[in-house]
Amino acid sequence: MIRPILVVGNPVLRQKAKRVSQIDKSIQRLIDDMIETMKAAPGVGLAAPQIGVPLRLAVIEVEDKITVIINPEIVKSTGQVELDEGCLSVPGFWGRLERAERVSVKALDRNGKEQRIRDADGLLAQALQHEIDHLDGHLYIDRLDTLDKLQRSEPLRKREADARRDSEAAEEPPAEEL
Ligand code: ZN
């Protein structure tokens, strides 16, 4: 079931989410709903607080691979990169910010098994950091030096239409929404 995505201003997005203590049927249903909601948005990632559930759980889809992280912790981060980033809970904007270039994350998978994601880089590293921030009540806009750095993005459908029309033009892709 697709769930409504909360937007900035909703207090649930600012709470520190609680650890998942038991991975039962209701959690499996929640994970399925989150994957469906993320795909429909469309987004690269979605954290449970974004649909109003203050639990430490997020889903990520990068290169057609879905990763479910429960009670995740960043155990190592290295390097620094500047990235363009957007968030489904901050619609219509994107910003450029600094994040670690690579991260290693420890988390449970949806079967409750401990998983290690070692030295993730690129979009996966960005998404892991972005979603874990959500679980601590942080949004990417908090990481900008100033909100003047926030850029307005056109609605996705218009961007896609423009991209089709100007397929020759070497335009930068829009920032990913997570
Ligand atoms: Zn987000």
Side-chain angles (χ1 to χ4, degrees), residues 8 14 90 97 139-147 150:
V8 60
R14 293 309 193 172
V90 189
L97 75 169
L139 298 172
Y140 81 90
I141 50 176
D142 308 340
R143 292 183 175 270
L144 303 175
D145 308 331
T146 152
L147 286 184
L150 212 52

Side-chain angles (χ1 to χ4, degrees), residues 27-43:
I27 294 289
Q28 297 297 344
R29 210 154 36 227
L30 174 64
I31 292 169
D32 289 339
D33 285 357
M34 286 172 60
I35 291 170
E36 203 180 333
T37 304
M38 168 179 69
K39 283 176 174 289

Side-chain angles (χ1 to χ4, degrees), residues 3-177:
R3 310 263 199 116
I5 296 175
L6 307 184
V7 295
V8 60
N10 190 300
V12 178
L13 292 172
R14 293 309 193 172
Q15 282 177 28
K16 191 168 161 69
K18 289 199 169 66
R19 292 175 68 83
V20 176
S21 56
Q22 200 184 354
I23 302 171
D24 54 16
K25 267 190 189 152
S26 71
I27 294 289
Q28 297 297 344
R29 210 154 36 227
L30 174 64
I31 292 169
D32 289 339
D33 285 357
M34 286 172 60
I35 291 170
E36 203 180 333
T37 304
M38 168 179 69
K39 283 176 174 289
V44 171
L46 188 74
Q50 289 183 278
I51 56 166
V53 179
L55 287 176
R56 304 189 77 78
L57 162 61
V59 298
I60 293 169
E61 184 173 24
V62 173
E63 286 168 5
D64 294 329
K65 183 175 186 286
I66 290 177
T67 303
V68 177
I69 49 172
I70 299 173
N71 301 336
E73 276 173 61
I74 294 178
V75 291
K76 192 174 99 182
S77 56
T78 53
Q80 211 170 37
V81 278
E82 273 214 333
L83 298 162
D84 292 340
E85 197 162 303
C87 176
L88 296 169
S89 295
V90 189
F93 293 92
W94 62 274
R96 176 160 288 194
L97 75 169
E98 280 189 358
R99 287 201 181 275
E101 189 177 10
R102 285 169 187 274
V103 291
S104 296
V105 167
K106 185 176 92 171
L108 299 180
D109 67 13
R110 69 179 300 169
N111 301 312
K113 248 184 74 185
E114 190 162 306
Q115 58 177 333
R116 292 260 179 175
I117 303 165
R118 289 195 168 82
D119 290 318
D121 62 2
L123 187 54
L124 180 58
Q126 182 179 12
L128 286 165
Q129 292 172 79
H130 181 108
E131 303 314 331
I132 292 171
D133 271 357
H134 270 304
L135 306 183
D136 291 323
H138 302 313
L139 298 172
Y140 81 90
I141 50 176
D142 308 340
R143 292 183 175 270
L144 303 175
D145 308 331
T146 152
L147 286 184
D148 295 345
K149 289 202 173 171
L150 212 52
Q151 310 282 318
R152 202 172 270 280
S153 57
E154 289 165 17
L156 188 64
R157 261 183 228 98
K158 178 169 186 325
R159 286 200 309 247
E160 281 173 348
D162 289 349
R164 271 197 299 276
R165 202 163 44 244
D166 310 330
S167 56
E168 303 282 296
E171 264 197 71
E172 267 188 63
E176 300 286 359
E177 292 187 314

